[in-house]
Amino acid sequence: MTDVESEIAKYAEECRNWDRWGPDDVLGTLNHIDADARQRAAALVRRGVSFSLSMRFEADGPQKGWRRRTNPVHTMLDTGVDAVAGHQGFPHGIGGADDVIAMPLQCATQWDGLGHIFDRGKAWNGRPAEKVVSSLGDLVTGIEHMAADVAGRGVLLDVGRVFGTDGVLPDGFAIGVDHLEQVASSQGVTVGRGDIVLVRTGQLGACRSLPGWGEFAGGPAPGLSFWTAPWLHRTEIAAIATDTWGFEVRPNEFPVAFQPLHQIAIPNIGLLIGEMWDLDALAADCAADGVYEFFLVAAPLPVTGAVGSPVNPLALK
């Protein structure tokens, strides 16, 4: 084994949650959110303000076509022009508009589902990958199973504000456990069982103004270090999301590797991972009022058999 293979094998074994919630589990760490946790989270809504944490789904998005990931293509099927021209054939003057969108499910603000990543041929809960995901989709852990479960206490860790320059971390900045814990302490917030943790680097906001989004999609980026895997497991968080394309630091921390933290987090921990979340407006509000916890609702679209989903997360304070 190479060093990266040895480390992945070690941390996969140490952080593995297989069978923790039974052999038929399809929720992974979302099991950490129970009814009491949701009631406590709902009580965090005090001012009645809400924030959308989604970037726009549009043709001018950041995707470059890697692995056939393209930006959304929005097409009108019926328009006001058709209505005024009398082409729609409806009675008594009524007209309407309809549209369609074609896009990869993970081209903008999204969740990675449990069937998205495999570890040496195994999917979440130790199932054979070829028995879980086929050309028909995720036959076992499709993201539709999570449609009612992603609602709970959200915690923002604004690493960019604490360790960055003008609120933005440099590319290649590996966010370690010490960074996460220092930020939590400085913000006066705790991270624990059932929380949905949002890690802001500032990269999405910085790249949005660049021509073609610069290298946001797949290029160098700040992100979580591979060595945070035990923390992700130990804290028993339900989910985690960042404002970057790939969640973990890029380039990755091994000479020859591709997204090794994903390989631990999804198929072994069973952790729901979000990417390309727009956290800037929420972060500004949290800095202004000093409150970094909120009620977060981020349901995936129940696309049967999907291994990921677009999402418009809502943070309510």
Side-chain angles (χ1 to χ4, degrees), residues 103-195:
M103 66 180 190
L105 295 179
Q106 293 164 290
C107 68
T109 305
Q110 53 100 5
W111 284 121
D112 284 346
L114 292 180
H116 179 51
I117 297 292
F118 314 122
D119 177 19
R120 290 160 292 173
K122 298 295 185 181
W124 161 242
N125 228 21
R127 302 177 178 103
E130 73 276 14
K131 301 293 186 181
V132 175
V133 183
S134 73
S135 60
L136 298 176
D138 186 334
L139 307 176
V140 181
T141 51
I143 208 160
E144 72 273 12
H145 297 291
M146 298 179 169
D149 295 279
V150 194
R153 177 180 182 251
V155 176
L156 175 69
L157 298 181
D158 195 346
V159 185
R161 186 176 295 272
V162 175
F163 289 102
T165 301
D166 296 326
V168 182
L169 294 177
D171 292 341
F173 186 101
I175 301 171
V177 172
D178 54 340
H179 298 116
L180 297 171
E181 292 181 343
Q182 286 182 54
V183 171
S185 178
S186 70
Q187 295 176 172
V189 72
T190 59
V191 173
R193 187 175 190 270
D195 288 341

Side-chain angles (χ1 to χ4, degrees), residues 63-135:
Q63 299 298 334
K64 308 291 188 184
W66 177 81
R67 294 185 65 82
R68 298 175 295 283
R69 286 193 185 180
T70 56
N71 294 310
V73 178
H74 177 224
T75 305
M76 298 307 301
L77 301 178
D78 265 321
T79 70
V81 175
D82 299 320
V84 170
H87 294 160
Q88 294 180 333
F90 296 128
H92 52 76
I94 189 172
D98 269 323
D99 47 4
V100 64
I101 191 166
M103 66 180 190
L105 295 179
Q106 293 164 290
C107 68
T109 305
Q110 53 100 5
W111 284 121
D112 284 346
L114 292 180
H116 179 51
I117 297 292
F118 314 122
D119 177 19
R120 290 160 292 173
K122 298 295 185 181
W124 161 242
N125 228 21
R127 302 177 178 103
E130 73 276 14
K131 301 293 186 181
V132 175
V133 183
S134 73
S135 60

